[in-house]
Every structure is written in C-alpha cells, then in structure tokens.
Amino acid sequence: MQFHNTLDFAKQLDKEDILANFRNEFHLLYKNGKPIIYLCGNSLGLQPKNVKAAIDQELKDWAELGVEGHFEGKNPWMYYHHFLKEKAARIVGAKTDEVVIMNNLTANLHLMMVSFYRPTKKRYKILMEGSAFPSDQYAMETQARFHGFNPDDAIIELVPRNGEYTIRTEDIVVKINEHKDDLAIVMMGGVNYYTGQFFDLKAITDAAHAVGATVGFDCAHAAGNIDLKLHDWNVDFAVWCTYKYLNSGPGGTSGVFVHERHGNNPDLIRFAGWWGHDESKRFLMEKGFKPMQGAAGWQLSNAQIFPLAIHNASLELFDKAGIENLRAKSKKLTAFLEFVLSDFKDYLTIITPTNPDERGCQLSIIVKNEGKKLFDYLTQNNVLPDWREPDVIRMSPVPMYNSFEDVFQIGQVIKSYFNK
Ligand SMILES: *Cc1c(COP(=O)(O)O)cnc(C)c1O
C-alpha cells in the first residue's frame, strides 16, 4: 500500500478501518483535557469499559450469596475458568482444552518447566534468546540450579550476528542442531520484548523436536498481538500474561497452553493442587491426584475470580473484533508508523524487523545519543511510548484502540522535536 504522511490520508484510513469503533470501548487517557496517544499497550493495555460491570457482578454475588456464589452465582465460581477457555484458545490458536487461565506468568512458566524440563546428565541444556526478559532469565537460571546444573553451562543464549539487532531463524536452527545431543528444551519469547522480533515459532519447534528437545514459548508479547497457531505449530507449551496486549489489568492473570498430546497424558510429571484434580471428584477430598484432562490439569488453586472476571470481559472484545482482523489492521498500522518514522532516518534507527511477518505491533527505536531526550519530549507532548534501558524507545500502536491519526500525530510531534 502506498502511504502518504498527511492528516487527510490518516483520517481516510480510519474511515476505512472496520475496527475503528473499538477505541470507544476503552478508557482513553487525557492530560489537562487533551488526549494522550497511548503507545504502551505492550506494557499495560488500557482498561476496557466493560470490566467494571464484570467485577461488579462478582462483588454483588459475593455480597448477596457468600459461599453459595460458587454454585448459585450468575457465573458460578466453581466453573469460572471454563468461561474463558474458548475465547482464550481462539487468541492463541489452540483447542479449547489446551488452554487454562490461572496464576501469573512467571509462576506458570515454572510450573511448565516442572513438566517439560526433565534434564538428564547428558541432555540438560536450555536454549533461550540472549537478553531475554529478566523474569525469564531468572526462571531459567534457577530451574537449572534446581536440577543441580550450573546455569553458565546449562543455558545457551542466542545472540544476533555482529552489527545486527535481531536473531536469524537459520542461526537458531543451526544452534539447535549443534546441540542435538545435549539440548533438553528450547524456551524463548514468542515476540522479544526489546526488539519486537516475532520468532518463527513453527520452524523453531520443528527443529527442536527433530533433535529430541521440548519447546515452550513465553508469549507475553505475542498473545493478543500475533494470530498464533500454537496447536498447529505443535508447540509443547506456552505461557502468557494478560495485562499487556490482552488489556486485563495490572498484575492480571495468565494463560497456559499445553498441547493435547501432553495434556491428555495423566502420567506427565507436574506439581499439583486440588483445582487440577478431576472436577467431578474434587469435593470428595480423596487421596491420590487424578488430573483433569488438558491444561486444566495443571491448576493448583481455586480460580481467582476478580482477575478472571476482568480477563473474561476483555476477551469478549477480542472475540467481537476477531484476532485475524486485529492482526490485519496491526500490520497496516505498524507499517504506517514505520513510514511516518522514515522521515527521520538520519536521526533514528528502527531495530524491529521490517518484514511484517516477523513483528507484531511494536517498533523499537534507537535515537543516536539523545533517545532519552526524545522520549521525555514525547511524553511532555502527550505521546506516551516507553523507554527500555539501555537505549530503546518502544512504540506500540495497538490495533484495538490506536488510530491511523494517532500515528500521523506521533510524526508531527517528532518533527517538532527535530526542528527545534
Ligand atoms: C511481561 C513479561 C513478564 C512478566 O512476568 P510476570 O510474571 O507477569 O510479572 C515475563 N516474561 C516476559 C517475556 C514478559 O514480557
């Protein structure tokens, strides 16, 4: 598509956008009565307006029914996680029972590692991307130690080639093959939080399986951003948080995907709790853990109704919009931002891949020597991207609530900065 850097053109794209009205379903931000262009949906998504009623419903049932709410509530708490799984499965391309919503991301990552990182003396290495999100680094480091390995030896980090910012798929595959005899698991981000690179999850999964390793992805930056196909790609497990692109509130709940070939294997080692136990027998309080089929068999505790209520409300909007439609708009919106930023080529470098199939809706920008200054200028002028040490400004035009006009205006603010 041929873009033009004009307000009229941006407005025309908004007019043609079938998702344009979803913006009205969110609490957009204002400062001194002026709208803020929010570009932090990759960090904390905006609040959907339908969330309040969803929480109020559960507060009401709790107030009026007490413990009876588990069975008598409008949405009986006993079965609450079931109300989310179909919608969540559509987001990540899974079968319904391959998904469960529970806990928080890093806790779930550890739970999955218990089942899928089963190192032996010979096959014990973990392959991950270098400079992964710190929580993932700490999780892998302590997982290696937990099994008695030295993390410096057990963890293999993928790094870009000299002079490049992102990691080539071919290099990942080569690394997997180099370690064909000692690789236990590949555990990477689906989309890297820093560069915005979307990895080729299918190619990575195929390569890892071919050498006998398991594969899990942290989809914190991929869920709700990319139209994932976790089942078809044959991924072993995935985890994600719900407060970034999935707009489910600070510290919100998390999602887990377990491929059905594992989910239906009751003998797979796991750490268990009563909520993962056969639902029909849960209240018999019997000895002997018998897991539910599917990802639900990894649940520990009774469902956190309030975070789940928020997430359920948010997922309703994703269902209405459709993840394919969101992805289609996202590609166009991000490409438009890339086009608008191309006016400032002399000052800034975009380190996110240019291929729309290798990124979601984030562009990571390095500004020579004055990244922090530009960042501060943007925030003072009602544009809210985020800053990630050491030197990157991340901008995420989110298809659910950002507009093409937003993107045009970002360009205008940057222009006024460099023309100062
Ligand atoms: C956001 C993010 C986290 C955060 O983990 P929490 O357990 O939700 O605090 C972890 N890993 C990645 C890759 C992330 O992007």
Side-chain angles (χ1 to χ4, degrees), residues 43-54:
S43 189
L44 182 71
L46 291 178
Q47 184 186 137
K49 289 178 181 166
N50 65 353
V51 157
K52 196 164 189 310

Side-chain angles (χ1 to χ4, degrees), residues 281-323:
K281 306 227 170 83
R282 193 179 287 150
F283 283 91
L284 299 182
M285 309 300 197
E286 288 173 339
K287 223 175 155 56
F289 177 65
K290 206 165 151 264
M292 306 240 298
Q293 290 240 317
W298 272 262
Q299 292 173 105
L300 299 180
S301 301
N302 70 100
Q304 299 152 292
I305 300 307
F306 295 99
L308 261 58
I310 297 175
H311 190 39
N312 195 34
S314 174
L315 285 174
E316 279 170 16
L317 295 175
F318 277 85
D319 246 11
K320 277 189 200 146
I323 189 74

